[in-house]
Amino acid sequence: MNLAPLTQRFVLHFGEMGSRWGINRTVGQIYALLYVSPRALNADEIGEALSFSRSNVSMGLKELESWNLVRLQHLPGDRREYFQAPDDVWAIFRTLAEERRKREIDPTLSMLRDALMEQPSVGDDIHAQARMKQMHDLIELMTGWLADVQKMDSATLVSLMKMGAKVQRLLEAKDKVANTVRSGFAGRAKPVQNESGSRDGHTTDSSATKA
């Protein structure tokens, strides 16, 4: 199985970038090949296309399966296992985000929560805990946003991404409206008692109430 020039360039680039994303070159190239392949591939085809040993292909596929980034398929009359990347690129994004959250963010949040439960008595630790609180709040805010994003369908995600700076303008407009409303309430005149003891223009003269 020979790779076409454009496919080969894409696969090689993913292998080079793999280490920067926390995966090795083999895994990066296998995933890139499956992503652009028009059909599911078996381990022998992957090894032939990338000049990898069967053991390297097997380990790479297991790593991708642990990330939920490949689907296992079986073809009628064929006992071999075939692998394919999800068709929806947004599904891939959601899967990557969820897996990275579980592997990298959740352990950090757990550590920070434990640290915030402590009662430091040393000045340096008090300062450190305050900084940890800021980090904890930021990560929780981001993970909450990510959880909301995970619930969106692909079409909604595309629309959200395309909004870009419009989101900022919308938030700014919302703040202006809120400030105007608050100013309006604050500017309302309170009932003022005049020299004759009347409020809001109503006399309180006792003679006016006599029969």
Side-chain angles (χ1 to χ4, degrees):
M1 180 180 179
N2 295 320
L3 298 181
L6 184 60
T7 299
Q8 185 177 50
R9 194 169 75 189
F10 179 74
V11 168
L12 291 175
H13 175 76
F14 256 70
E16 295 169 1
M17 294 298 295
S19 59
R20 303 184 187 184
W21 299 332
I23 59 176
N24 62 41
R25 181 177 65 89
T26 299
V27 175
Q29 289 192 8
I30 291 174
Y31 186 71
L33 175 63
L34 293 175
Y35 178 76
V36 297
S37 176
R39 62 178 179 84
L41 302 175
N42 60 51
D44 291 332
E45 291 173 319
I46 295 171
E48 179 186 353
L50 302 177
S51 299
F52 290 163
S53 67
R54 181 62 184 267
S55 60
N56 281 343
V57 172
S58 178
M59 288 188 293
L61 288 171
K62 286 180 179 178
E63 177 70 11
L64 290 171
E65 284 185 286
S66 74
W67 281 83
N68 294 315
L69 287 173
V70 294
R71 295 195 303 260
L72 176 62
Q73 298 179 9
H74 289 91
L75 302 181
D78 193 336
R79 299 179 62 183
R80 294 174 296 182
E81 295 180 334
Y82 287 78
F83 300 87
Q84 190 170 34
D87 295 327
D88 185 356
V89 69
W90 290 102
I92 297 171
F93 165 77
R94 285 192 290 266
T95 299
L96 276 172
E98 177 63 15
E99 290 298 322
R100 294 195 79 94
R101 180 189 65 78
K102 290 190 294 187
R103 295 166 185 246
E104 301 169 14
I105 297 176
D106 284 356
T108 301
L109 265 180
S110 179
M111 178 272 160
L112 289 171
R113 288 176 184 137
D114 290 342
L116 294 178
M117 293 291 291
E118 297 186 14
Q119 300 293 329
S121 57
V122 181
D124 286 351
D125 276 352
I126 293 174
H127 173 77
Q129 189 183 60
R131 297 286 286 169
M132 291 179 200
K133 177 66 165 58
Q134 294 175 359
M135 181 180 291
H136 169 272
D137 292 347
L138 174 61
I139 294 176
E140 278 218 323
L141 182 64
M142 293 298 294
T143 52
W145 175 84
L146 181 59
D148 291 338
V149 168
Q150 292 286 65
K151 300 172 186 176
M152 299 178 185
D153 57 42
S154 298
T156 304
L157 275 172
V158 172
S159 298
L160 178 63
M161 294 296 183
K162 286 182 177 180
M163 287 184 71
K166 294 179 182 177
V167 175
Q168 181 179 351
R169 291 196 291 270
L170 181 63
L171 293 175
E172 289 174 351
K174 183 204 72 170
D175 290 340
K176 288 180 180 178
V177 171
N179 290 334
T180 301
V181 172
R182 283 195 294 268
S183 298
F185 278 115
R188 283 185 176 180
K190 296 181 180 180
V192 178
Q193 193 170 38
N194 58 28
E195 294 179 357
S196 63
S198 65
R199 291 179 59 136
D200 295 328
H202 299 289
T203 181
T204 56
D205 189 349
S206 60
S207 62
T209 60
K210 290 180 181 181

